[in-house]
Amino acid sequence: MKHTEKIILQPNNEIKNSTLLLLSIPETIALKWKLARPSLLFRCGALEKVVEVQVYRTSSSHTVYCSPALLTSLSLPNQTIPITLTFFDKLNTLSLGPILCLATNAKGSELEPFGAYTSFCREVAEYCEEHHILFYVYTLKPWNEQRVKGMIWNQRTWVDSDLPKPSLIYNRIHSRKLEKSNHVEMLKTIWREQNIPYFNESFLNKWEVHQKLLPYDEVAPYLPETILLESFDNIQYMMSNYPTVYLKPLNGSQGKHIFRISYQDQLFQLDYSSYQGNQKITSKTLSGLYPTIRARSKLVPYLVQQGIPLIEIEGCPVDFRILCLKDSGERWKVISAVTRIAQSKEQFVSNIARGALLKKFEEGLIHFDEAIKKQTKRIVPELACEISQIIDRESDGMFGELGIDLSVDQEGHPWIIEVNTKPSKTSDGSNPNKYRPSVKALIRFFKWYTS
């Protein structure tokens, strides 16, 4: 039988003995759990120590004191830690945890050590504190057999520390190149060998996603026609069927290096997004545009996709980001849904990284009548959850969070644009004094998975 209690683990820095492994437990907990032996096994992560147990009387029933030597031996920082303590009476063992680790390559300044992810990491850390979960950020340093070099929030700043191995790793490595590197592949091998589960497994390219979804009748009607770009003939074929097509890099992100080809006024027009901003060229022939496309597509693989006549607000294209997280029982659930409005009429992608404006989901449907609004608000979340379940089922490894980008054409028909395995952590700012829904959902998933 096991007994669980949310506690405050407090360093007892009055103890000067550098080798004493002492745990001081409130009498209320000791009586409840019937702790009778003077010593027991104390476990945290991959480390365990036989400790001396001392019972003390106090008005506070949830503060457990730990000698400095014991903290060091278990790779715990010398600071106050809200955490969960479990007693397994038949094994005479106490265990701390569960422990959540966020792995990222993001770098920043002293004040923002994880760059744009810093505010999100702090929000997770503070929410975990409230729920007595030990949380830290791992920045891909060499992985030790028993302890991890990470950064933990101490209510004022981020502190480098030795930390125990986690119960679950949240993969937020945001570089596709790095994720395919030998270093990260080696890390994942170590995690698997040490039986440390992690999510999300990896990036998926646009063609992989399309191929995984296409066989499913429930989502196939919402997929734009898509083919690989292997030659000029592929572009010619698609332009013979659609007035507008998009060319997208298979491994692209943040709306970069996308081409749009359209035909109007007897001219072919090529718009494309680059580091210098949006560019535009025209030609009387489709072949006249190909050298510009080929200059980029010979470097990285592309696909060609049917252009969708998107709804617009004040002439600016609109699409939707639906964030889905796995809930208890392996079910997927919509956590948030927002409208993204392109920065200007000239922008043809509605990506946050390219200046898109975030609005409430309903605000993207203002031009539809009530019947289409109602239908869209029902179909889009259902479709996003269905997509998430298929991607999770058809992919290697475990996924627990996906960002689904959907658009709606002028007739109200939804279309699948993209599936993001590492969705943006930019807050929409709608709840400045509260934890964002994605943080709460993440911790719900973590607690369910580790229970």
Side-chain angles (χ1 to χ4, degrees), residues 221-233:
Y222 305 102
L223 286 168
E225 184 176 359
T226 304
I227 61 174
L228 284 173
L229 175 56
E230 297 174 319
S231 70
F232 174 69
D233 291 344

Side-chain angles (χ1 to χ4, degrees), residues 197-400:
Y198 64 92
F199 75 102
N200 294 325
E201 172 69 25
S202 63
F203 286 97
L204 297 174
N205 72 47
K206 295 174 177 64
W207 183 246
E208 286 177 317
V209 169
H210 186 269
Q211 293 300 95
K212 291 178 191 298
L213 296 177
L214 191 59
Y216 287 86
D217 293 340
E218 57 268 44
V219 298
Y222 305 102
L223 286 168
E225 184 176 359
T226 304
I227 61 174
L228 284 173
L229 175 56
E230 297 174 319
S231 70
F232 174 69
D233 291 344
N234 301 126
I235 299 174
Q236 202 165 33
Y237 161 75
M238 292 292 278
M239 283 303 298
S240 68
N241 287 284
Y242 306 104
T244 302
V245 302
Y246 287 85
L247 283 67
K248 301 178 179 180
L250 265 59
N251 292 302
S253 62
Q254 300 184 336
K256 296 175 182 175
H257 305 300
I258 294 175
F259 296 93
R260 180 179 66 182
I261 305 174
S262 55
Y263 183 71
Q264 54 187 347
D265 300 326
Q266 297 185 321
L267 283 175
F268 290 95
Q269 180 171 300
L270 179 68
D271 298 275
Y272 61 101
S273 54
S274 69
Y275 290 114
Q276 290 76 39
N278 281 2
Q279 310 293 318
K280 182 182 298 184
I281 61 173
T282 58
S283 174
K284 290 182 179 180
T285 64
L286 185 59
S287 60
L289 304 177
Y290 191 59
T292 302
I293 296 167
R294 183 59 184 155
R296 179 69 190 168
S297 66
K298 71 181 179 182
L299 302 175
V300 294
Y302 267 71
L303 53 75
V304 191
Q305 194 169 77
Q306 167 192 353
I308 306 300
L310 299 182
I311 54 174
E312 297 178 345
I313 293 179
E314 297 180 357
C316 300
V318 170
D319 66 19
F320 305 95
R321 162 59 63 87
I322 315 298
L323 181 64
C324 296
L325 269 84
K326 194 180 285 185
D327 206 359
S328 59
E330 302 284 337
R331 293 187 300 269
W332 284 85
K333 185 176 180 181
V334 171
I335 303 305
S336 64
V338 295
T339 293
R340 302 188 302 187
I341 307 172
Q343 188 180 40
S344 67
K345 296 177 182 179
E346 288 70 36
Q347 288 273 6
F348 56 90
V349 291
S350 306
N351 197 285
I352 296 168
R354 304 192 70 80
L357 184 65
L358 289 181
K359 294 283 188 180
K360 292 181 180 179
F361 179 74
E362 293 81 359
E363 294 184 47
L365 307 174
I366 57 174
H367 296 310
F368 289 127
D369 62 32
E370 288 304 315
I372 293 181
K373 281 183 185 178
K374 185 177 180 180
Q375 175 181 288
T376 304
K377 288 165 72 173
R378 176 182 60 83
I379 291 177
V380 165
E382 290 177 357
L383 181 57
C385 287
E386 193 65 49
I387 292 166
S388 299
Q389 288 169 355
I390 293 170
I391 294 298
D392 186 28
R393 183 166 59 241
E394 296 294 335
S395 303
D396 294 332
M398 176 170 65
F399 286 90

